[in-house]
Amino acid sequence: MGKHRIKVVLLHFAFSEYTIQLANSLVKYVDLILIHSEEIYSQCKDVLNPHIRVIQIKKPRIRDPRNIKVITAMMRMIREINPDVLHVQETNDPWYDLTLLFSKMPPLVTTIHDIYRHPGDRDLTPGAEYTRRIAFYRSQQLIVHSQSLQDILITQFRLPQQRINVLPHGELGSLFQSWSSGQIAPREPHTLLFFGRIWPYKGLKYLLQAIPLVAEHIPGVKLIIAGRGENVSELLQDADKKHYEILNNFIPTGNVANLFQRSAAVVLPYIESSQSGVAAIAYAMGTPVIASNIGGLREIVRHEQDGLLVPPCDVQSLADAIIQLLSDSHLQRQMQIAALERCQQDLNWSNIADQTIEVYHQAIAAKSTSLMTK
């Protein structure tokens, strides 16, 4: 790449799978120090590149005031490391956010996965929706995963376009494959998968309305609903249970790959979307995606190449797309190949790491310029 090896601190409190994949590729090009909680480290230590220097912090629960002491010590540690860049995955931690108002920071890059709280999302820490916006203004460079998020930051937050970088959300499937038992599940040609947190913005109710329409044409259709959140049993009170496999709880990481490999398609009937980690898992499994034509989904799913896009909240269009894909084994195969090819192209982590390092150099230059003009 023709540039000296820079020192980077990568800090994250969430989006662990994304951060692991990014760190494992970044460490080939930069001196990388990864900071995260002991809890996160216990989940990911077996899949981290051994060349990554890892610092664990003992993080109290989010409402615990001892966080002040922990975060203050962590920021002091970062200043002692004196990195060329501090890269933070968008945080759900207001304690960290507030330090940005008072701490002298190295050149700061922040990845923003979501700007606003998703409708019905109860996981976001109270207050964090507002405090994390501090990073929007304090960062020399921002990374988002869709053009739609960049547009929001420019129009609603009045941020200059040159500070916002649109980088793809890399594939996550290979990580879940490494966590699995290694057995490849046979593809079930009439099985669909709805995966992840079951909150209202995911639009599951529209998919449940579409399944009986699909069953009229494909009697063997089956929908796997895998994830925690809303009570799925209540949503399925009057449904024909033979068309459903319900896993209404947290899915262990070792079981995730099997669900995607079994399925002919993953369905994302969302009514709102910034980007999709679920699609990022699906493509590395060679599983096509049927999704709502909104937000970041319309940017990651390439219509009639590696998936199908349908209008949101349109039950008939959703059913028609499912019938189209499940009825055509040749189309399924074409899309499976295209999905896998994406993982060698824009969703490839080496390519994303290369782009991320360019953002680091922009942040360093911006910080240097601001110091010179003071």
Side-chain angles (χ1 to χ4, degrees):
M1 294 171 59
K3 291 177 178 171
H4 76 281
R5 225 174 143 83
I6 60 176
K7 186 196 297 183
V8 176
V9 167
L10 182 58
L11 169 64
H12 75 116
F13 305 102
F15 299 99
S16 299
E17 294 89 359
Y18 178 95
T19 307
I20 291 165
Q21 293 285 72
L22 178 62
N24 283 342
S25 287
L26 278 176
V27 76
K28 301 169 189 173
Y29 310 108
V30 303
D31 292 330
L32 187 66
I33 301 99
L34 180 62
I35 299 178
H36 53 199
S37 70
E38 293 176 347
E39 181 183 3
I40 291 175
Y41 182 67
S42 68
Q43 298 165 1
C44 68
K45 60 184 178 182
D46 295 334
V47 291
L48 280 173
N49 187 310
H51 293 103
I52 299 170
R53 178 185 165 195
V54 178
I55 297 174
Q56 303 175 58
I57 56 174
K58 196 173 185 66
K59 190 76 171 61
R61 293 176 67 85
I62 197 70
R63 297 175 189 273
D64 191 326
R66 288 178 298 174
N67 275 287
I68 297 173
K69 183 176 181 181
V70 171
I71 295 294
T72 301
M74 183 189 76
M75 299 309 293
R76 187 185 308 117
M77 183 192 314
I78 291 171
R79 286 194 296 274
E80 290 171 357
I81 293 171
N82 191 27
D84 296 299
V85 173
L86 171 61
H87 183 181
V88 182
Q89 294 301 307
E90 172 201 23
T91 170
N92 193 14
D93 193 304
W95 303 101
Y96 159 77
D97 297 330
L98 292 171
T99 66
L100 294 178
L101 294 173
F102 309 108
S103 299
K104 184 178 179 183
M105 306 292 290
L108 179 62
V109 174
T110 302
T111 297
I112 301 171
H113 293 259
D114 301 302
I115 294 176
Y116 297 115
R117 180 200 297 260
H118 295 299
D121 184 347
R122 297 191 292 273
D123 278 355
L124 188 66
T125 304
E129 186 172 10
Y130 302 99
T131 61
R132 65 182 177 176
R133 298 180 189 184
I134 299 168
F136 297 1
Y137 299 100
R138 293 284 283 171
S139 300
Q140 274 67 47
Q141 292 290 314
L142 299 169
I143 294 171
V144 294
H145 299 312
S146 67
Q147 188 68 48
S148 59
L149 290 187
Q150 184 187 52
D151 294 342
I152 291 171
L153 289 172
I154 293 170
T155 58
Q156 297 185 29
F157 291 87
R158 309 240 186 273
L159 294 173
Q161 184 171 345
Q162 61 266 29
R163 283 180 50 208
I164 310 166
N165 306 270
V166 182
L167 272 59
H169 188 304
E171 63 83 15
L172 299 178
S174 60
L175 179 62
F176 284 98
Q177 285 171 325
S178 71
W179 272 322
S180 72
S181 61
Q183 293 182 328
I184 298 176
R187 191 81 66 179
E188 300 171 13
H190 296 151
T191 293
L192 305 166
L193 175 62
F194 178 95
F195 180 86
R197 298 179 305 170
I198 306 171
W199 300 141
Y201 78 93
K202 295 291 188 77
L204 176 59
K205 70 176 183 179
Y206 300 104
L207 178 55
L208 296 180
Q209 292 171 34
I211 292 299
L213 303 179
V214 175
E216 292 175 9
H217 298 267
I218 304 170
V221 66
K222 179 168 70 174
L223 173 63
I224 303 170
I225 302 173
R228 61 182 178 84
E230 292 180 300
N231 188 327
V232 177
S233 298
E234 290 182 3
L235 298 174
L236 288 172
Q237 278 182 342
D238 302 319
D240 186 342
K241 302 300 190 292
K242 73 180 181 183
H243 294 303
Y244 302 94
E245 180 179 329
I246 310 301
L247 306 168
N248 196 190
N249 47 41
F250 175 78
I251 310 302
T253 53
N255 298 349
V256 171
N258 180 275
L259 294 173
F260 282 82
Q261 289 164 342
R262 286 174 54 195
S263 304
V266 171
V267 188
L268 308 177
Y270 298 1
I271 60 174
E272 185 267 350
S273 173
S274 47
Q275 36 75 33
S276 176
V278 177
I281 300 172
Y283 282 137
M285 309 288 185
T287 306
V289 176
I290 299 172
S292 299
N293 188 13
I294 54 170
L297 287 178
R298 68 163 63 101
E299 297 178 45
I300 190 170
V301 177
R302 294 178 178 173
H303 183 58
E304 296 185 339
Q305 296 180 48
D306 46 47
L308 296 170
L309 291 168
V310 300
C313 311
D314 188 331
V315 173
Q316 187 63 59
S317 294
L318 180 58
D320 290 343
I322 293 170
I323 293 166
Q324 177 188 355
L325 185 59
L326 297 190
S327 302
D328 190 338
S329 58
H330 178 67
L331 180 61
Q332 286 186 39
R333 184 63 188 147
Q334 276 186 322
M335 289 188 172
Q336 288 166 7
I337 293 169
L340 290 169
E341 287 176 348
R342 289 286 299 283
C343 299
Q344 303 306 318
Q345 300 164 2
D346 60 314
L347 306 184
N348 178 273
W349 284 103
S350 291
N351 295 339
I352 292 168
D354 196 46
Q355 296 171 62
T356 302
I357 293 167
E358 289 303 318
V359 175
Y360 292 165
H361 287 287
Q362 293 172 36
I364 293 168
K367 183 79 170 182
S368 176
T369 300
S370 69
L371 291 174
M372 289 171 60
T373 55
K374 283 185 178 178

